[in-house]
Amino acid sequence: MSLTAAFVGLGAMGYRMAAHLPKSFDQVLVWNRTFSKAQQHAEQYGTQAVSIEQATQADIIFSCLPTSADVESIIRQYPPKAGAIWIDCTSGEPESAKRMVEFLKQYQADYLDAPVSGQTIGAEKGTLTVMVGGDTAVFERAQTAIEPFAGLIKHVGEPGAGFAVKAVNNMLLAVHLWATTEGFTALKANGVDLQSALECINTSSGKSGVTENVFPQRVLNRHFPLTFALPLLAKDTGIALKLAQSVKLPTPLLSLTQNLIQTASLTAAPDSDFSAAVKLYESWTKITLE
Ligand code: NDP
C-alpha cells in the first residue's frame, strides 16, 4: 500500500502486531515511550523508529497502550492529519471511543476502536480476532490495513462497540478462571487427579478456554508466564461491569468476579500474569493446583 502506517506502543502485543505491517505497507513508522524498543523493532523488522510527532502524521495510525486514558492523552496532544484513520487496538473504554470520534471530527480524521483477542501468540502469528466499533464507511476503508495481523476482523457496531465486546470477552475469561479454580480445588481436596479431570472436562460440557489452554499451559504446570498482566485483566473486568451498570442491569456475578480479580491484582506480586489470580484462592485454601 502506498499509504504510510504507524504503530504507537510496542508492548507485549504492539511489538508483535507492528511486525506484520511491512507485509502491506511500504513505510511503517513505530514509536514507543521507551524509545530503544522502537529502535530494536526497526532493526528487527525493517520499520522506522520515529518521534511521536512523526508517527501521528501517518495515514493510518494504530495504537495499543494499556488504557484509554493513555491513548486519549496522546491523541489530544498529537492529533492526526486530515483524512487519517486512528485505529485503537487497546482494550479500552466504550465512552472514550465515542469521545475520540467526536474530538477528531475537528481535524477531519476518523477513529475506530479495534481491540484484539488471541494473546501474544496470536499477535506473533498474525491471527488475532479484531472487534471493531465505528462508522461502517470508515471500517470499510480501514479493513485492509488491519488484515496483516488478523485472523478474524468483525465490525460489531457503533463507536465503542468493539471495546464493549472485548470487555465482556475478558469478563467471561475471568469468570471461567475463578470458577475453574474453585472447582479444581474441590477435586484436589477430594483426592481426584487433576490431569485426569482436565482430560475428561475438555471433552465435556464444562470446558472453556481456561480448561483447554490456561490451566494446562499456565496453572497446573506452575509456569504462569507473563504475557497478559493481571492488572490489565482487572481493568477489563472493571470496564465490563461499568458497561452493565451504565444501563442499570443487575450484576451479581460480574460484580463478584470484578471484586475477586481486583483483589487478586492488588495482592499479587508485581508483573504477575493474569493466570496468577489463581494464587489468591490458593492462599485461602492452602491447596496448590498442580
Ligand atoms: P504492555 O504492558 O506489554 O505494553 C504497554 C505498552 O504501552 C508499552 O509499549 C509501554 O511503553 C506503553 N505505555 C504504557 N503507558 C504509556 C503511556 N502513558 N504513554 C505512552 N506509552 C505507554 O501491554 P500489552 O501489550 O500486554 O497490552 C496493551 C493493550 O492490549 C492493553 O489494553 C491490553 O489490555 C490489551 N491486550 C493485551 C493482550 C495480551 O495478551 N498481553 C491480549 C489482548 C489485548 P514502555 O515500553 O515505555 O513501557
Side-chain angles (χ1 to χ4, degrees), residues 76-117:
R76 288 182 192 280
Q77 276 177 268
Y78 308 101
K81 65 184 182 188
I85 307 177
W86 193 295
I87 303 175
D88 185 13
C89 301
T90 303
S91 298
E93 297 178 33
E95 287 308 313
S96 172
K98 291 173 197 164
R99 275 197 301 274
M100 288 303 93
V101 167
E102 286 308 310
F103 177 76
L104 288 186
K105 279 185 181 160
Q106 64 188 300
Y107 300 98
Q108 287 89 49
D110 291 300
Y111 173 97
L112 295 170
D113 48 301
V116 298
S117 183

Side-chain angles (χ1 to χ4, degrees), residues 160-204:
F163 285 160
V165 174
K166 173 66 189 177
V168 169
N169 177 76
N170 279 19
M171 177 60 97
L172 292 175
L173 166 67
V175 168
H176 291 150
L177 181 63
W178 196 271
T180 307
T181 300
E182 288 193 24
F184 271 62
T185 305
L187 289 173
K188 186 161 182 187
N190 280 280
V192 177
D193 173 64
L194 297 187
Q195 290 298 342
S196 307
L198 197 64
E199 235 177 279
C200 293
I201 288 170
N202 280 337
T203 54
S204 302

Side-chain angles (χ1 to χ4, degrees), residues 9-14 31-34 37 64-66 70 74 89-91 116 119-120 166 227-228 232 235-236:
L10 304 172
M13 294 300 285
W31 176 83
N32 193 63
R33 184 179 61 178
T34 305
K37 275 198 216 167
C64 192
L65 300 178
D70 300 323
I74 289 182
C89 301
T90 303
S91 298
V116 298
Q119 305 209 334
T120 49
K166 173 66 189 177
T227 65
F228 175 43
L232 292 177
K235 170 215 32 158
D236 295 338

